[in-house]
Amino acid sequence: MAPTLNDLFSAEAGSAFARQLALGDLIGDRSWDVDIGQGKISFGSDLAFPIQVLGTRASDI
């Protein structure tokens, strides 16, 4: 029997949550900085990861 949409969502949500917890353990309480032009987020002086911006939000509405 093929997995249902709920089965697939549950499996992916659990996996995403586990990755989020692992990243939190890795970065700890380091400061962070984002460089949109270079597509990079940095945590402290020793960790950097590539990023992509999915959207923006204007706060002057």
Side-chain angles (χ1 to χ4, degrees):
M1 184 167 150
T4 66
L5 179 59
N6 191 44
D7 294 335
L8 295 172
F9 176 80
S10 295
E12 290 303 316
S15 174
F17 185 59
R19 289 190 308 269
Q20 182 177 353
L21 291 175
L23 180 62
D25 289 343
L26 178 66
I27 63 175
D29 60 355
R30 290 177 172 92
S31 61
W32 61 275
D33 185 54
V34 174
D35 185 327
I36 300 293
Q38 289 190 0
K40 181 176 75 170
I41 186 167
S42 301
F43 299 95
S45 61
D46 59 337
L47 291 175
F49 301 97
I51 62 166
Q52 290 182 323
V53 176
L54 299 177
T56 61
R57 178 178 173 262
S59 61
D60 49 321
I61 294 177

